[in-house]
Amino acid sequence: MAKHYQEELEALQLALVRTQMAMAGSDERVVIVLEGRDGAGKDGTIKRITEHLSVRATRVVALPKPSDRERTQWYFQRYVAHLPAAGEIVIFNRSWYNRAGVEVVMGFSTATEQEAFLRDAPDFERMLVESGIKLVKLWLDITKAEQAERLEARRTDPLKALKVSDMDKVAQAKWDDYSAARDTMLTRTHTPFAPWHIVRADDKKDARIAIMRHVLRQIAPNNIADDVKAPDPDLLFPFDMAAIEDGRLAK
C-alpha cells in the first residue's frame, strides 16, 4: 500500500512539474485556496504539491493576523497583493475565508463585516476568474474524533511544536460553531464560476492523492490532464446543499 501511494504521488508530482513547465512564458495564472478545520491536513498537502515545483513560480501564502494598518484597509486588499503574475501558482493556506470561519467563531469581526464578506466574496472571485485566473477552492473536512487525535499529536510531538496555535485549544470545544460557520460559508460562496469542492480528509494520503488529481484536472493542459484519473467521488466532490445533511460533511 505504501509503495502504491509513493508511486502515485510521484506520478502526480511529475504531472505538476510538466504543468508548470507548460505555464512558463504563458499568461496562465493559478490560485489554489485550501480551507478546512484545524488539523485537516492543509500543510502536508501543500508540501506534496510544491515539493518539486519551481520556488520562483510557486508561492504559498499563509498570512498572520492583520496589522493595525491592515485592519483599516478594504478587507480583500492584503490578499490582492499576493495574487499571481503570469506563469505563477499561488496557494493560499487559509485565505480571505478567515472572515467566514475563525472570525465568526472567535468574534474577531462584527456580524455586519461578516455579512458584507459573504455578499462580496462571490463578486471578488468573479473578478479574479474574469481576469483569467484559474481559481480552485477546496474545503478539507475531517471528523471530530480525527481532529482530536491530530491535535493531540501536535501537542505531544516536539517536531510539531511550531504547528500548535491558540486556536487549537478551542477547536474541539467550538466544533459545532465551526460546523455552522462552514455550512453558511459553503452555501453562500459556492458559485458556478468559483465552486467549492469538498475533500473527506480523515485519511491524509488518500486526501492528498485526490486533491492533486483534482488540481491537475483543473489547471493542467489537456495533454496532461487527460492522463490523470478523476479523484474518488466518495473522497472529493463538488459541494451541494444535500452534503450538509446526508453525512458527507462531518457534524
Side-chain angles (χ1 to χ4, degrees):
M1 190 70 174
K3 181 180 178 182
H4 176 72
Y5 165 74
Q6 193 60 38
E7 289 175 348
E8 185 153 16
L9 176 65
E10 290 177 2
L12 292 169
Q13 288 175 328
L14 177 57
L16 283 166
V17 169
R18 291 175 59 208
T19 297
Q20 194 165 57
M21 290 174 66
M23 289 176 62
S26 75
D27 292 330
E28 293 286 328
R29 292 167 292 153
V30 171
V31 169
I32 300 169
V33 170
L34 286 182
E35 292 286 344
R37 298 180 189 266
D38 291 319
K42 297 180 292 296
D43 292 347
T45 297
I46 290 169
K47 181 178 179 180
R48 273 65 181 189
I49 290 173
T50 61
E51 189 172 5
H52 300 291
L53 298 183
S54 165
V55 295
R56 293 182 178 180
T58 311
R59 286 184 287 116
V60 177
V61 179
L63 298 183
K65 65 180 182 180
S67 66
D68 290 342
R69 180 176 182 274
E70 287 172 331
R71 288 191 186 97
T72 70
Q73 296 174 344
W74 176 51
Y75 177 72
F76 295 98
Q77 188 168 335
R78 71 183 190 135
Y79 296 101
V80 169
H82 296 278
L83 293 174
E88 293 181 346
I89 298 172
V90 171
I91 302 174
F92 282 94
N93 185 351
R94 297 195 183 278
S95 65
W96 44 91
Y97 283 103
N98 278 338
R99 176 136 295 177
V102 66
E103 291 191 20
V104 172
V105 175
M106 301 304 296
F108 294 157
S109 55
T110 67
T112 299
E113 289 171 330
Q114 294 154 15
E115 176 59 31
F117 170 82
L118 292 170
R119 180 194 67 224
D120 294 343
D123 288 334
F124 174 67
E125 292 172 354
R126 176 181 52 76
M127 287 188 286
L128 298 185
V129 172
E130 288 179 352
S131 78
I133 289 175
K134 291 182 178 179
L135 177 60
V136 181
K137 301 192 308 188
L138 292 157
W139 173 267
L140 279 63
D141 205 59
I142 54 174
T143 60
K144 189 175 184 179
E146 181 64 22
Q147 185 191 58
E149 184 176 323
R150 293 184 188 182
L151 294 181
E152 178 61 24
R154 285 184 183 180
R155 287 189 287 268
T156 57
D157 185 345
L159 290 176
K160 296 181 179 180
L162 293 174
K163 300 183 73 172
V164 177
S165 72
D166 291 340
M167 296 300 102
D168 291 355
K169 299 174 184 177
V170 298
Q172 288 273 291
K174 292 184 177 291
W175 176 270
D176 291 342
D177 293 334
Y178 273 110
S179 293
R182 173 203 63 193
D183 296 348
T184 298
M185 179 195 79
L186 293 172
T187 300
R188 295 282 299 275
T189 63
H190 175 72
T191 62
F193 48 84
W196 280 105
H197 281 75
I198 309 302
V199 187
R200 302 180 74 179
D202 272 10
D203 187 303
K204 290 182 179 181
K205 291 183 177 180
D206 285 349
R208 290 169 190 161
I209 294 299
I211 289 168
M212 292 171 74
R213 286 179 177 177
H214 176 71
V215 167
L216 280 162
R217 289 168 65 91
Q218 295 296 308
I219 73 169
N222 289 340
N223 65 314
I224 298 173
D226 288 348
D227 291 333
V228 177
K229 293 181 182 177
D232 182 341
D234 289 331
L235 290 178
L236 190 152
F237 53 89
F239 171 72
D240 65 84
M241 290 288 292
I244 295 173
E245 301 297 337
D246 66 14
R248 284 178 291 160
L249 282 166
K251 292 289 190 180

PDB file of all heavy atoms in Angstrom, residues 38 102 105-106 147 151 155 165-178:
ATOM      1  N   ASP A  38      -8.842  23.170  11.817  1.00  0.00           N
ATOM      2  CA  ASP A  38      -7.503  22.947  12.345  1.00  0.00           C
ATOM      3  C   ASP A  38      -7.205  21.453  12.315  1.00  0.00           C
ATOM      4  O   ASP A  38      -8.024  20.632  12.730  1.00  0.00           O
ATOM      5  CB  ASP A  38      -7.407  23.455  13.792  1.00  0.00           C
ATOM      6  CG  ASP A  38      -7.491  24.966  13.881  1.00  0.00           C
ATOM      7  OD1 ASP A  38      -6.878  25.633  13.035  1.00  0.00           O
ATOM      8  OD2 ASP A  38      -8.171  25.473  14.788  1.00  0.00           O
ATOM      9  N   VAL A 102     -12.938  31.381  11.235  1.00  0.00           N
ATOM     10  CA  VAL A 102     -12.422  31.668  12.581  1.00  0.00           C
ATOM     11  C   VAL A 102     -12.903  33.017  13.113  1.00  0.00           C
ATOM     12  O   VAL A 102     -13.171  33.169  14.311  1.00  0.00           O
ATOM     13  CB  VAL A 102     -10.877  31.588  12.590  1.00  0.00           C
ATOM     14  CG1 VAL A 102     -10.252  32.684  11.735  1.00  0.00           C
ATOM     15  CG2 VAL A 102     -10.348  31.654  14.010  1.00  0.00           C
ATOM     16  N   VAL A 105     -16.449  32.484  14.502  1.00  0.00           N
ATOM     17  CA  VAL A 105     -16.477  31.677  15.726  1.00  0.00           C
ATOM     18  C   VAL A 105     -15.843  32.403  16.905  1.00  0.00           C
ATOM     19  O   VAL A 105     -16.351  32.350  18.028  1.00  0.00           O
ATOM     20  CB  VAL A 105     -15.780  30.324  15.481  1.00  0.00           C
ATOM     21  CG1 VAL A 105     -15.690  29.515  16.774  1.00  0.00           C
ATOM     22  CG2 VAL A 105     -16.532  29.524  14.411  1.00  0.00           C
ATOM     23  N   MET A 106     -14.746  33.099  16.646  1.00  0.00           N
ATOM     24  CA  MET A 106     -13.998  33.733  17.733  1.00  0.00           C
ATOM     25  C   MET A 106     -14.377  35.199  17.950  1.00  0.00           C
ATOM     26  O   MET A 106     -13.844  35.855  18.836  1.00  0.00           O
ATOM     27  CB  MET A 106     -12.495  33.628  17.453  1.00  0.00           C
ATOM     28  CG  MET A 106     -11.993  32.199  17.308  1.00  0.00           C
ATOM     29  SD  MET A 106     -12.362  31.160  18.744  1.00  0.00           S
ATOM     30  CE  MET A 106     -11.401  31.980  20.012  1.00  0.00           C
ATOM     31  N   GLN A 147      -9.920  14.963  14.294  1.00  0.00           N
ATOM     32  CA  GLN A 147      -9.286  16.221  14.675  1.00  0.00           C
ATOM     33  C   GLN A 147      -8.674  16.120  16.074  1.00  0.00           C
ATOM     34  O   GLN A 147      -7.552  16.576  16.313  1.00  0.00           O
ATOM     35  CB  GLN A 147     -10.286  17.373  14.638  1.00  0.00           C
ATOM     36  CG  GLN A 147      -9.621  18.720  14.918  1.00  0.00           C
ATOM     37  CD  GLN A 147     -10.609  19.836  15.158  1.00  0.00           C
ATOM     38  OE1 GLN A 147     -11.437  19.759  16.068  1.00  0.00           O
ATOM     39  NE2 GLN A 147     -10.539  20.882  14.338  1.00  0.00           N
ATOM     40  N   LEU A 151      -4.757  16.891  16.834  1.00  0.00           N
ATOM     41  CA  LEU A 151      -4.365  17.991  17.707  1.00  0.00           C
ATOM     42  C   LEU A 151      -3.568  17.480  18.904  1.00  0.00           C
ATOM     43  O   LEU A 151      -2.626  18.135  19.360  1.00  0.00           O
ATOM     44  CB  LEU A 151      -5.592  18.764  18.179  1.00  0.00           C
ATOM     45  CG  LEU A 151      -6.367  19.517  17.093  1.00  0.00           C
ATOM     46  CD1 LEU A 151      -7.549  20.261  17.693  1.00  0.00           C
ATOM     47  CD2 LEU A 151      -5.471  20.482  16.324  1.00  0.00           C
ATOM     48  N   ARG A 155       0.421  18.360  20.136  1.00  0.00           N
ATOM     49  CA  ARG A 155       0.806  18.775  21.490  1.00  0.00           C
ATOM     50  C   ARG A 155       1.920  17.914  22.062  1.00  0.00           C
ATOM     51  O   ARG A 155       2.699  18.375  22.907  1.00  0.00           O
ATOM     52  CB  ARG A 155      -0.410  18.737  22.414  1.00  0.00           C
ATOM     53  CG  ARG A 155      -1.410  19.850  22.167  1.00  0.00           C
ATOM     54  CD  ARG A 155      -2.473  19.892  23.247  1.00  0.00           C
ATOM     55  NE  ARG A 155      -3.412  18.795  23.126  1.00  0.00           N
ATOM     56  CZ  ARG A 155      -4.549  18.860  22.446  1.00  0.00           C
ATOM     57  NH1 ARG A 155      -4.879  19.986  21.819  1.00  0.00           N
ATOM     58  NH2 ARG A 155      -5.372  17.834  22.371  1.00  0.00           N
ATOM     59  N   SER A 165      -1.240  26.185  17.837  1.00  0.00           N
ATOM     60  CA  SER A 165      -1.716  27.562  17.895  1.00  0.00           C
ATOM     61  C   SER A 165      -2.758  27.712  18.993  1.00  0.00           C
ATOM     62  O   SER A 165      -3.300  26.722  19.510  1.00  0.00           O
ATOM     63  CB  SER A 165      -2.329  27.979  16.553  1.00  0.00           C
ATOM     64  OG  SER A 165      -3.578  27.340  16.363  1.00  0.00           O
ATOM     65  N   ASP A 166      -3.045  28.956  19.333  1.00  0.00           N
ATOM     66  CA  ASP A 166      -4.085  29.210  20.330  1.00  0.00           C
ATOM     67  C   ASP A 166      -5.437  28.689  19.868  1.00  0.00           C
ATOM     68  O   ASP A 166      -6.279  28.308  20.689  1.00  0.00           O
ATOM     69  CB  ASP A 166      -4.179  30.709  20.617  1.00  0.00           C
ATOM     70  CG  ASP A 166      -2.960  31.244  21.360  1.00  0.00           C
ATOM     71  OD1 ASP A 166      -2.240  30.434  21.974  1.00  0.00           O
ATOM     72  OD2 ASP A 166      -2.732  32.465  21.305  1.00  0.00           O
ATOM     73  N   MET A 167      -5.652  28.679  18.555  1.00  0.00           N
ATOM     74  CA  MET A 167      -6.934  28.214  18.026  1.00  0.00           C
ATOM     75  C   MET A 167      -7.145  26.725  18.275  1.00  0.00           C
ATOM     76  O   MET A 167      -8.279  26.255  18.383  1.00  0.00           O
ATOM     77  CB  MET A 167      -7.028  28.504  16.527  1.00  0.00           C
ATOM     78  CG  MET A 167      -7.026  29.981  16.163  1.00  0.00           C
ATOM     79  SD  MET A 167      -8.396  30.921  16.880  1.00  0.00           S
ATOM     80  CE  MET A 167      -7.552  31.733  18.250  1.00  0.00           C
ATOM     81  N   ASP A 168      -6.031  25.964  18.370  1.00  0.00           N
ATOM     82  CA  ASP A 168      -6.147  24.531  18.645  1.00  0.00           C
ATOM     83  C   ASP A 168      -6.889  24.274  19.953  1.00  0.00           C
ATOM     84  O   ASP A 168      -7.618  23.285  20.091  1.00  0.00           O
ATOM     85  CB  ASP A 168      -4.755  23.885  18.743  1.00  0.00           C
ATOM     86  CG  ASP A 168      -4.020  23.837  17.418  1.00  0.00           C
ATOM     87  OD1 ASP A 168      -4.621  24.219  16.397  1.00  0.00           O
ATOM     88  OD2 ASP A 168      -2.856  23.414  17.401  1.00  0.00           O
ATOM     89  N   LYS A 169      -6.674  25.167  20.925  1.00  0.00           N
ATOM     90  CA  LYS A 169      -7.216  24.951  22.264  1.00  0.00           C
ATOM     91  C   LYS A 169      -8.739  24.970  22.287  1.00  0.00           C
ATOM     92  O   LYS A 169      -9.360  24.400  23.194  1.00  0.00           O
ATOM     93  CB  LYS A 169      -6.662  26.013  23.214  1.00  0.00           C
ATOM     94  CG  LYS A 169      -5.139  25.979  23.343  1.00  0.00           C
ATOM     95  CD  LYS A 169      -4.638  27.146  24.188  1.00  0.00           C
ATOM     96  CE  LYS A 169      -3.116  27.182  24.239  1.00  0.00           C
ATOM     97  NZ  LYS A 169      -2.603  28.358  25.005  1.00  0.00           N
ATOM     98  N   VAL A 170      -9.351  25.643  21.324  1.00  0.00           N
ATOM     99  CA  VAL A 170     -10.818  25.768  21.334  1.00  0.00           C
ATOM    100  C   VAL A 170     -11.476  25.028  20.168  1.00  0.00           C
ATOM    101  O   VAL A 170     -12.704  25.040  20.050  1.00  0.00           O
ATOM    102  CB  VAL A 170     -11.237  27.251  21.310  1.00  0.00           C
ATOM    103  CG1 VAL A 170     -10.728  27.972  22.549  1.00  0.00           C
ATOM    104  CG2 VAL A 170     -10.731  27.949  20.060  1.00  0.00           C
ATOM    105  N   ALA A 171     -10.672  24.409  19.305  1.00  0.00           N
ATOM    106  CA  ALA A 171     -11.221  23.782  18.095  1.00  0.00           C
ATOM    107  C   ALA A 171     -12.274  22.731  18.416  1.00  0.00           C
ATOM    108  O   ALA A 171     -13.318  22.657  17.756  1.00  0.00           O
ATOM    109  CB  ALA A 171     -10.095  23.164  17.267  1.00  0.00           C
ATOM    110  N   GLN A 172     -12.014  21.907  19.450  1.00  0.00           N
ATOM    111  CA  GLN A 172     -12.961  20.866  19.804  1.00  0.00           C
ATOM    112  C   GLN A 172     -14.159  21.440  20.564  1.00  0.00           C
ATOM    113  O   GLN A 172     -15.303  21.070  20.297  1.00  0.00           O
ATOM    114  CB  GLN A 172     -12.257  19.798  20.650  1.00  0.00           C
ATOM    115  CG  GLN A 172     -11.296  18.930  19.851  1.00  0.00           C
ATOM    116  CD  GLN A 172     -11.958  17.740  19.205  1.00  0.00           C
ATOM    117  OE1 GLN A 172     -12.388  16.801  19.860  1.00  0.00           O
ATOM    118  NE2 GLN A 172     -12.055  17.772  17.880  1.00  0.00           N
ATOM    119  N   ALA A 173     -13.888  22.355  21.472  1.00  0.00           N
ATOM    120  CA  ALA A 173     -14.976  22.937  22.269  1.00  0.00           C
ATOM    121  C   ALA A 173     -15.964  23.702  21.400  1.00  0.00           C
ATOM    122  O   ALA A 173     -17.166  23.742  21.684  1.00  0.00           O
ATOM    123  CB  ALA A 173     -14.397  23.854  23.344  1.00  0.00           C
ATOM    124  N   LYS A 174     -15.455  24.311  20.337  1.00  0.00           N
ATOM    125  CA  LYS A 174     -16.307  25.108  19.451  1.00  0.00           C
ATOM    126  C   LYS A 174     -16.598  24.373  18.137  1.00  0.00           C
ATOM    127  O   LYS A 174     -16.880  25.000  17.117  1.00  0.00           O
ATOM    128  CB  LYS A 174     -15.640  26.463  19.177  1.00  0.00           C
ATOM    129  CG  LYS A 174     -15.582  27.368  20.402  1.00  0.00           C
ATOM    130  CD  LYS A 174     -15.009  28.729  20.067  1.00  0.00           C
ATOM    131  CE  LYS A 174     -15.028  29.658  21.276  1.00  0.00           C
ATOM    132  NZ  LYS A 174     -16.403  30.039  21.658  1.00  0.00           N
ATOM    133  N   TRP A 175     -16.544  23.063  18.176  1.00  0.00           N
ATOM    134  CA  TRP A 175     -16.767  22.254  16.972  1.00  0.00           C
ATOM    135  C   TRP A 175     -18.091  22.600  16.284  1.00  0.00           C
ATOM    136  O   TRP A 175     -18.140  22.824  15.075  1.00  0.00           O
ATOM    137  CB  TRP A 175     -16.745  20.767  17.329  1.00  0.00           C
ATOM    138  CG  TRP A 175     -17.050  19.867  16.175  1.00  0.00           C
ATOM    139  CD1 TRP A 175     -18.286  19.416  15.776  1.00  0.00           C
ATOM    140  CD2 TRP A 175     -16.109  19.334  15.237  1.00  0.00           C
ATOM    141  NE1 TRP A 175     -18.170  18.617  14.664  1.00  0.00           N
ATOM    142  CE2 TRP A 175     -16.849  18.549  14.308  1.00  0.00           C
ATOM    143  CE3 TRP A 175     -14.735  19.425  15.094  1.00  0.00           C
ATOM    144  CZ2 TRP A 175     -16.240  17.870  13.263  1.00  0.00           C
ATOM    145  CZ3 TRP A 175     -14.117  18.745  14.053  1.00  0.00           C
ATOM    146  CH2 TRP A 175     -14.865  17.980  13.143  1.00  0.00           C
ATOM    147  N   ASP A 176     -19.170  22.668  17.039  1.00  0.00           N
ATOM    148  CA  ASP A 176     -20.479  22.938  16.441  1.00  0.00           C
ATOM    149  C   ASP A 176     -20.538  24.334  15.832  1.00  0.00           C
ATOM    150  O   ASP A 176     -21.165  24.538  14.783  1.00  0.00           O
ATOM    151  CB  ASP A 176     -21.584  22.775  17.485  1.00  0.00           C
ATOM    152  CG  ASP A 176     -21.786  21.323  17.911  1.00  0.00           C
ATOM    153  OD1 ASP A 176     -21.328  20.424  17.178  1.00  0.00           O
ATOM    154  OD2 ASP A 176     -22.385  21.096  18.977  1.00  0.00           O
ATOM    155  N   ASP A 177     -19.903  25.294  16.479  1.00  0.00           N
ATOM    156  CA  ASP A 177     -19.872  26.655  15.938  1.00  0.00           C
ATOM    157  C   ASP A 177     -19.113  26.690  14.618  1.00  0.00           C
ATOM    158  O   ASP A 177     -19.528  27.373  13.663  1.00  0.00           O
ATOM    159  CB  ASP A 177     -19.212  27.612  16.938  1.00  0.00           C
ATOM    160  CG  ASP A 177     -20.030  27.795  18.202  1.00  0.00           C
ATOM    161  OD1 ASP A 177     -21.267  27.612  18.132  1.00  0.00           O
ATOM    162  OD2 ASP A 177     -19.441  28.103  19.243  1.00  0.00           O
ATOM    163  N   TYR A 178     -18.001  25.956  14.568  1.00  0.00           N
ATOM    164  CA  TYR A 178     -17.243  25.897  13.311  1.00  0.00           C
ATOM    165  C   TYR A 178     -18.048  25.190  12.217  1.00  0.00           C
ATOM    166  O   TYR A 178     -17.985  25.572  11.042  1.00  0.00           O
ATOM    167  CB  TYR A 178     -15.902  25.185  13.519  1.00  0.00           C
ATOM    168  CG  TYR A 178     -14.795  26.102  13.981  1.00  0.00           C
ATOM    169  CD1 TYR A 178     -14.277  26.021  15.260  1.00  0.00           C
ATOM    170  CD2 TYR A 178     -14.250  27.065  13.132  1.00  0.00           C
ATOM    171  CE1 TYR A 178     -13.259  26.866  15.692  1.00  0.00           C
ATOM    172  CE2 TYR A 178     -13.232  27.908  13.540  1.00  0.00           C
ATOM    173  CZ  TYR A 178     -12.741  27.800  14.824  1.00  0.00           C
ATOM    174  OH  TYR A 178     -11.742  28.652  15.241  1.00  0.00           O
TER     175      TYR A 178
END
